[in-house]
Amino acid sequence: MGKIIYLMGKSSTGKDTIFKRLLEDSGLNLKNIVPYTTRPIRDGEKNGQEYFFVDEESYLQLKEQGKIIEERTYHTFHGLWRYFTVNDGQVQQQAQNYLMIGTLESYLKLKDYFGADRMLPVMIELDDGIRLKRALDREMAQEAPRYEEMCRRFLADSEDFAEEKIREAEIEIRFTNNDLERCLEKIKDYIAKNTETGSNCYARSSAQK
């Protein structure tokens, strides 16, 4: 059975970059599962790539149809923002390995939905000072920076990724992103060793290099 590799970690740990690099690695043969959100699209994002960007009415329709697998609602400085995963046919092939990115809370809900044997957690970590600088640099580059929301997310991370919650989620292996390339290689090895199709494809890809 294929796995759902689930990337998670506090904001500005480099998850998005690692996510894209893993998808680009043909040796891992991962397929993206795109979540949904009602928050505004950011500069550089594309609808259907990082998220499906929808409005509140679309969210309510999906909820009424019973298609929402898990959801999180945040009361931000810019209004109510929802993030959710939809049963929309993206996960079909049992032998396929998939890749997702999200929070510890959403990981636990998906674990309940798909089963623990289907999920492979990948926790990304980074020093808080470096994270804060990265978050500020990214926000300053936006056409309309949302500094209040950046600060809210940064402070909320301490609660969302508390050590007690990580232990309760039974996540034992973590990856520190001090060096992107080294961190990526460790994650790739971890995925290959814990997925049958990933191990075979990655071994063939490595042999060809």
Side-chain angles (χ1 to χ4, degrees):
M1 177 183 292
K3 297 281 189 178
I4 298 174
I5 293 91
Y6 199 89
L7 264 63
M8 67 191 112
K10 296 178 180 179
S11 58
S12 300
T13 52
K15 300 188 300 297
D16 290 339
T17 300
I18 291 173
F19 180 84
K20 291 176 182 177
R21 293 283 296 273
L22 291 176
L23 275 181
E24 291 170 355
D25 192 320
S26 58
L28 292 173
N29 191 31
L30 301 177
K31 186 176 181 180
N32 183 20
I33 299 176
V34 183
Y36 290 64
T37 184
T38 61
R39 75 156 169 78
I41 190 169
R42 294 173 180 161
D43 295 343
E45 292 181 326
K46 294 181 180 179
N47 188 36
Q49 185 169 305
E50 292 85 2
Y51 293 96
F52 288 115
F53 294 92
V54 299
D55 56 19
E56 183 73 8
E57 183 179 353
S58 297
Y59 157 78
L60 292 173
Q61 289 177 350
L62 290 167
K63 190 173 182 67
E64 185 177 349
Q65 294 167 3
K67 292 186 176 181
I68 294 181
I69 297 174
E70 62 83 25
E71 61 179 300
R72 290 142 283 131
T73 300
Y74 300 100
H75 297 273
T76 77
F77 284 92
H78 304 278
L80 195 69
W81 290 359
R82 303 185 191 276
Y83 295 81
F84 49 102
T85 307
V86 176
N87 181 7
D88 57 0
Q90 290 190 68
V91 181
Q92 293 182 338
Q93 300 180 39
Q94 290 293 312
Q96 173 70 50
N97 291 318
Y98 294 91
L99 183 65
M100 286 193 72
I101 186 170
T103 66
L104 180 60
E105 178 186 357
S106 59
Y107 163 74
L108 290 172
K109 291 178 179 178
L110 288 167
K111 183 179 176 182
D112 288 339
Y113 184 86
F114 288 107
D117 59 335
R118 193 84 192 270
M119 304 296 294
L120 184 65
V122 177
M123 176 74 73
I124 312 296
E125 295 186 325
L126 187 64
D127 174 77
D128 283 348
I130 299 175
R131 288 198 308 112
L132 184 57
K133 184 178 184 303
R134 286 185 179 180
L136 182 59
D137 289 344
R138 182 177 67 181
E139 209 58 44
M140 290 177 68
Q142 297 293 311
E143 184 176 343
R146 296 183 171 93
Y147 297 117
E148 297 93 342
E149 176 58 19
M150 181 202 76
C151 293
R152 184 202 67 79
R153 286 185 63 195
F154 188 87
L155 294 173
D157 282 337
S158 296
E159 179 179 350
D160 294 342
F161 290 92
E163 287 298 319
E164 181 181 355
K165 292 183 178 180
I166 295 175
R167 287 195 298 271
E168 289 176 354
E170 300 179 330
I171 296 175
E172 300 178 353
I173 299 176
R174 310 185 202 182
F175 301 89
T176 302
N177 190 20
N178 289 326
D179 183 305
L180 175 60
E181 298 303 326
R182 183 177 299 178
C183 183
L184 266 169
E185 285 307 309
K186 289 182 178 180
I187 293 173
K188 289 178 182 180
D189 287 342
Y190 173 70
I191 292 173
K193 290 176 181 176
N194 287 277
T195 58
E196 292 182 8
T197 55
S199 180
N200 294 334
C201 292
Y202 194 62
R204 289 196 297 271
S205 176
S206 299
Q208 294 170 358
K209 293 180 180 179

